Amino acid sequence: MDVDIWAWVGDTQRELHEAGNTGLAMALGDVPAQALEGRFTQLDVVAPAIAQHAETLEKPWLEFFARYWHLLGRVGDRAMGAVALGDAAALVDFSRRADVRDCPAALGAVELLAMAQGNTDGPGYAETRLAALGAALDGIGPDSLAFPGLATQYVTALIDAGQAAEAVAYAEAAAERLRGAGREASWELGAATVRSLLAAGRPDDALAALDASTGFKPDDPVAKGRREALLRSRVLATLGRLQEAVDALPDLDVVGDHAREWVEWAHTVRMLASGGSIANTWQLGRILRQWIGYFETMGGHRARFELALTAGHLAVARQGLWQARLLADYAEAAIADLRATEGLAERVAELRAAAGAAKEVPPPGPRDELVAYFDAADGRTADPERWVGWLWPLSGTDIEATRRHTTTLGFLGYAPVGADIYWKTIVEDGDPAAAADEDITYLTGLLIEARQDERVKALAARLPETRSHLTLARLHRAREQWTETAAEAEQAVAHGGGLEARRLWSGAVQQLGDNAKAAEILKPLLESGEGEEEDTWRLIVLSTAVEDWATVRAAAGKLGMPIEPGEGPIEEEWHLVRVILPAPDGSQREVLAVRTGPATARLAIPQPRGMEYNAGDVVVIDPRPLEPIPEDEKERESFVIPFAGVTMLRPGGYTSWFFDGAMPSEDEWAEFNEVLAERGWPMWVYSDENYHVTHPATGQPIRGVFGWIAIPPTVRPVELDAVLDDVTEQWSHPLAWLDLAREVGIEAERHERISKEYGL
């Protein structure tokens, strides 16, 4: 992104704020951080909303900005492939519109399309990427801030095209051109140079290039640390310096959320495991299988092929031969989705040959005793991968072995395989109507996990009515089809479906927005004692949301909670809590509150304008703590429990007003707090010690303070203005409350002058 774009972003934020679009202005500045910091849940909500709003406002640059960062979050860290190709191509077309092409960031669309194509099938799209990137690079010079990113992708495409020497030459020439323009290569361009040297068989030079580029400024500063460590580990492993490579390798919990690093990490781990420098375990195999599944979903065809082969060879090395054979099948299936396939079939054949030549690990006992051995095994130390192999000869013939074998397959990531075996045993070779409940439950779970929905429906059709409705309710719940879930679960309850059916029914009805009915569905559990503690808590939350206080009191009594007697709302003063609530930018805000009952809290902190809640509001909370309560007594004394906010129960009607200015003396500030507290007007400082304003006389920075004051609906804004004016009158530096002054029409010009003089 060109530096000019950031000045434009600042101007656009101010424009949106002045137009009353405070939430949009706040969200706009946070979108790049969401993309780079991996806050994708926010990004996937906020960026499309900004783009849609920008289209309505007829601001094409703003729309491009939002779409660019959203797509970068998808094809960058998340490494989406085929699923993002259409959006990437559409963004390129959008960037060429007459009202967009002059945007300083427009060329970024070409880079993102190349990334999406590379994620899908790097070698298969290599020539296409080189043509598009080359055309874009021909139109700019090294003075353009788009140059390093486009050059990095060009080098990557050359590597994928098998032109390693050309990639080295191009990378070095690009860096030299940047130096000639008085600029330094980005770290990403330096990393591409390292990879091109590795591809050219020059690992010593690659290590030197990596050392030389370590101080380069990254385009993605959040990712640089782990990506550089991983690349260093790969280079060192290639050089045979295995212990140094192990020391450099980022842990799984570091790379586990970053799909872009998975293939390189797996390749590096294979090198280290083959030398005995790192453990090759079933847990590793399970993780790699999950990653393969991710790329199956995201259209990362080349990545899934490479991971399947890598995982397969690792499985052979630890004698997980059944898994190696399945992974060879997965790799072979991926070839059909690739554009460049030369030599791939031979690599699959090599894996199969390795699996065929390896020896199976003998079982721990006689075949007819394996189920007993399985049950006696220590769940913490047993190797489920071994047990899948040992139980396989029995699976499909012995029901006890089949249960253990197929569910273990599902646990290891091979639910479709387990589902096929279980299906044949229960449905094809048997009568599902006569099967045990646990077999139907296990089989349904495997089928749902394997996304074999038609089989679930076929199974349900052959079951007695109660189990049929319950099976379909499970399927619809997994697919978040709430109307269908409610209908099937209701039928299951009507036919004696029991606790699970009632939970499914209540949960679906709650998702459909009917808390009262969801509570009524659970009430029989309270009366009969059939339910568990979690059901009682759910009933408390649902009944609180609809203010059925009699049920709340009855359920709280069942849990032994000391509630004051009465018939109306429960409005006690319990203890401070942290309530986690949504913010307009898609993030979450943590708001200090006072818990007033089993599932209620009154917010204590004023919120900025644009929020859907404020101080004084009473909200329903989920009483399950979001963090464990510390075991240490001293830590527990200062710990404030966080709870998820569920819904608004009773708005307090408070209105927030912003103040800003220089920090007063301690005595002045104490008086300020005291005056507001006496009136019961909540105030909260949002600035920290790093916030400074400008001294109007000297031009030097001085400590500043800003925050919000909330007043109840019984107080007029003019009363707050008068109190603030009185309490700050003798301050050496004035405080500004510009929005409030404009609202009441008193001395707005003075507050505008203060804001300007102090640089607020």
Side-chain angles (χ1 to χ4, degrees):
M1 302 290 281
D2 194 285
V3 69
D4 292 339
I5 202 71
W6 300 115
W8 168 83
V9 168
D11 291 341
T12 304
Q13 282 183 288
R14 284 189 289 274
E15 181 182 337
L16 291 169
H17 182 77
E18 291 171 0
N21 291 314
T22 303
L24 183 60
M26 290 171 58
L28 177 61
D30 196 42
V31 163
Q34 292 170 10
L36 296 178
E37 294 173 6
R39 291 186 277 134
F40 299 126
T41 300
Q42 283 179 257
L43 183 69
D44 290 342
V45 173
V46 174
I50 293 176
Q52 184 177 11
H53 203 66
E55 184 179 10
T56 303
L57 295 174
E58 296 183 346
K59 291 182 176 293
W61 280 27
L62 178 58
E63 181 180 351
F64 180 84
F65 179 88
R67 290 173 62 180
Y68 171 91
W69 284 105
H70 187 210
L71 187 58
L72 179 62
R74 296 173 65 201
V75 304
D77 201 44
R78 285 185 281 184
M80 293 186 185
V83 297
L85 283 176
D87 290 336
L91 188 62
V92 171
D93 291 340
F94 185 77
S95 72
R96 291 170 178 162
R97 280 179 25 175
D99 55 354
V100 179
R101 62 186 177 217
D102 290 334
C103 174
L107 280 176
V110 177
E111 181 182 349
L112 295 188
L113 177 57
M115 291 170 68
Q117 292 168 335
N119 293 342
T120 305
D121 179 8
Y125 282 96
E127 295 302 325
T128 303
R129 291 150 64 203
L130 289 171
L133 291 163
L137 284 161
D138 286 344
I140 61 172
D143 54 328
S144 169
L145 292 186
F147 181 85
L150 292 169
T152 299
Q153 289 304 313
Y154 196 86
V155 173
T156 302
L158 283 171
I159 296 171
D160 285 340
Q163 302 176 40
E166 292 86 346
V168 173
Y170 190 92
E172 292 175 345
E176 185 58 38
R177 290 183 66 190
L178 285 165
R179 282 191 291 272
R183 301 179 61 201
E184 190 178 68
S186 67
W187 180 85
E188 286 77 7
L189 179 56
T193 306
V194 174
R195 293 189 175 93
S196 66
L197 288 164
L198 282 176
R202 297 166 54 185
D204 288 303
D205 293 334
L207 183 59
L210 182 59
D211 289 337
S213 64
T214 189
F216 292 171
K217 184 178 179 181
D219 292 329
D220 186 347
V222 177
K224 191 222 178 203
R226 67 172 184 273
R227 299 194 74 198
E228 183 173 32
L230 175 54
L231 186 54
R232 183 172 298 279
S233 180
R234 178 186 168 191
V235 173
L236 290 168
T238 304
L239 288 167
R241 294 162 59 172
L242 300 185
Q243 188 54 54
E244 293 174 78
V246 170
D247 293 341
L249 183 71
D251 290 338
L252 184 58
D253 60 356
V254 174
V255 301
D257 292 330
H258 309 286
R260 176 171 51 181
E261 275 79 77
W262 290 349
V263 173
E264 189 167 41
W265 189 88
H267 281 321
T268 304
V269 164
R270 183 187 171 191
M271 285 191 284
L272 296 174
S274 65
S277 300
I278 197 168
N280 179 9
T281 64
W282 68 263
Q283 290 94 335
L284 174 62
R286 184 169 183 253
I287 290 293
L288 295 182
R289 177 65 190 97
Q290 291 171 357
W291 291 356
I292 293 167
Y294 173 85
F295 284 118
E296 288 172 347
T297 303
M298 297 302 168
H301 305 315
R302 181 68 57 166
R304 97 176 197 252
F305 175 85
E306 292 294 338
L307 280 174
L309 279 185
T310 300
H313 283 291
L314 285 165
V316 170
R318 62 178 181 270
Q319 295 176 284
L321 305 186
W322 65 267
Q323 188 169 188
R325 296 185 187 100
L326 286 177
L327 289 165
D329 293 341
Y330 287 4
E332 185 173 56
I335 294 176
D337 293 318
L338 295 171
R339 293 160 57 113
T341 62
E342 184 178 355
L344 301 188
E346 290 79 2
R347 294 176 64 192
V348 173
E350 179 187 355
L351 173 57
R352 286 202 172 105
K359 291 184 178 181
E360 300 275 2
V361 177
R367 178 178 294 190
D368 59 356
E369 297 179 18
L370 285 179
V371 169
Y373 275 96
F374 179 97
D375 292 342
D378 185 340
R380 292 173 298 177
T381 59
D383 185 335
E385 195 173 85
R386 290 268 192 270
W387 278 106
V388 167
W390 292 331
L391 291 173
W392 207 303
L394 292 169
S395 191
T397 57
D398 179 287
I399 189 61
E400 295 293 343
T402 303
R403 289 170 182 164
R404 291 155 178 78
H405 179 245
T406 55
T407 53
T408 306
L409 272 167
F411 170 74
L412 291 172
Y414 297 90
V417 179
D420 287 346
I421 296 170
Y422 221 158
W423 176 265
K424 187 175 187 305
T425 303
I426 300 298
V427 181
E428 293 181 3
D429 297 344
D431 178 8
D437 284 343
E438 64 179 312
D439 288 314
I440 299 303
T441 300
Y442 290 158
L443 176 57
T444 303
L446 280 170
L447 292 171
I448 289 172
E449 188 178 351
R451 305 200 73 83
Q452 296 179 8
D453 293 9
E454 292 306 313
R455 274 187 168 179
V456 178
K457 295 174 184 177
L459 173 64
R462 295 183 57 180
L463 294 172
E465 196 164 14
T466 302
R467 294 164 76 185
S468 176
H469 289 303
L470 185 56
T471 296
L472 290 173
R474 290 167 177 159
L475 171 62
H476 294 310
R477 167 64 181 86
R479 304 295 176 248
E480 298 185 356
Q481 297 164 339
W482 305 117
T483 300
E484 294 84 351
T485 305
E488 295 293 344
E490 182 179 9
Q491 287 297 314
V493 169
H495 291 84
L499 182 58
E500 182 188 1
R502 194 169 289 276
R503 286 172 173 170
L504 286 167
W505 184 18
S506 176
V509 168
Q510 182 184 12
Q511 290 289 340
L512 292 169
D514 193 342
N515 289 326
K517 183 176 179 180
E520 288 297 324
I521 293 167
L522 288 181
K523 278 185 183 179
L525 300 180
L526 182 66
E527 297 160 2
S528 67
E530 180 187 358
E532 299 174 0
E533 185 174 314
E534 64 174 282
D535 301 300
T536 306
W537 275 116
R538 276 203 64 224
L539 180 59
I540 286 174
V541 172
L542 292 167
S543 300
T544 299
V546 297
E547 300 202 64
D548 177 2
W549 299 110
T551 299
V552 174
R553 292 174 188 277
K558 184 179 178 69
L559 294 173
M561 301 184 74
I563 304 293
E564 294 178 5
E567 295 182 354
I570 300 172
E571 295 180 347
E572 303 179 6
E573 299 285 321
W574 285 16
H575 53 85
L576 285 177
V577 296
R578 293 177 282 156
V579 180
I580 311 304
L581 294 163
D585 63 357
S587 64
Q588 293 182 320
R589 291 179 68 85
E590 186 177 280
V591 182
L592 199 65
V594 177
R595 191 171 181 180
T596 59
T600 52
R602 185 178 61 253
L603 305 185
I605 304 302
Q607 299 301 300
R609 291 288 186 92
M611 298 295 177
E612 296 180 355
Y613 44 84
N614 204 347
D617 293 347
V618 177
V619 298
V620 180
I621 59 173
D622 185 331
R624 294 172 295 183
L626 295 175
E627 297 174 12
I629 298 174
E631 295 182 5
D632 182 79
E633 186 174 346
K634 288 187 177 179
E635 291 182 24
R636 199 161 50 243
E637 288 177 0
S638 59
F639 181 72
V640 180
I641 306 172
F643 296 104
V646 175
T647 188
M648 178 72 70
L649 182 64
R650 199 176 304 113
Y654 282 65
T655 305
S656 292
W657 297 99
F658 184 70
F659 65 87
D660 193 2
M663 187 72 183
S665 68
E666 288 187 17
D667 290 342
E668 291 169 337
W669 186 243
E671 182 188 10
F672 183 81
N673 280 267
E674 184 179 345
V675 167
L676 296 175
E678 286 175 351
R679 288 162 173 77
W681 299 348
M683 183 274 292
W684 194 256
V685 172
Y686 279 81
S687 57
D688 58 23
E689 64 275 5
N690 297 316
Y691 179 63
H692 290 82
V693 299
T694 303
H695 194 296
T698 66
Q700 296 298 311
I702 56 176
R703 175 79 182 276
V705 61
F706 67 80
W708 295 85
I709 301 168
I711 54 175
T714 55
V715 175
R716 294 177 301 149
V718 68
E719 295 177 58
L720 174 60
D721 176 82
V723 169
L724 291 178
D725 195 48
D726 181 62
V727 75
T728 65
E729 184 178 10
Q730 301 300 319
W731 288 12
S732 55
H733 293 285
L735 201 65
W737 49 91
L738 180 56
D739 290 342
L740 176 61
R742 287 172 174 168
E743 173 72 16
V744 301
I746 299 176
E747 294 189 321
E749 296 82 1
R750 180 173 76 88
H751 290 280
E752 289 173 354
R753 185 179 68 254
I754 294 170
S755 299
K756 183 176 181 180
E757 290 177 349
Y758 283 82
L760 307 182

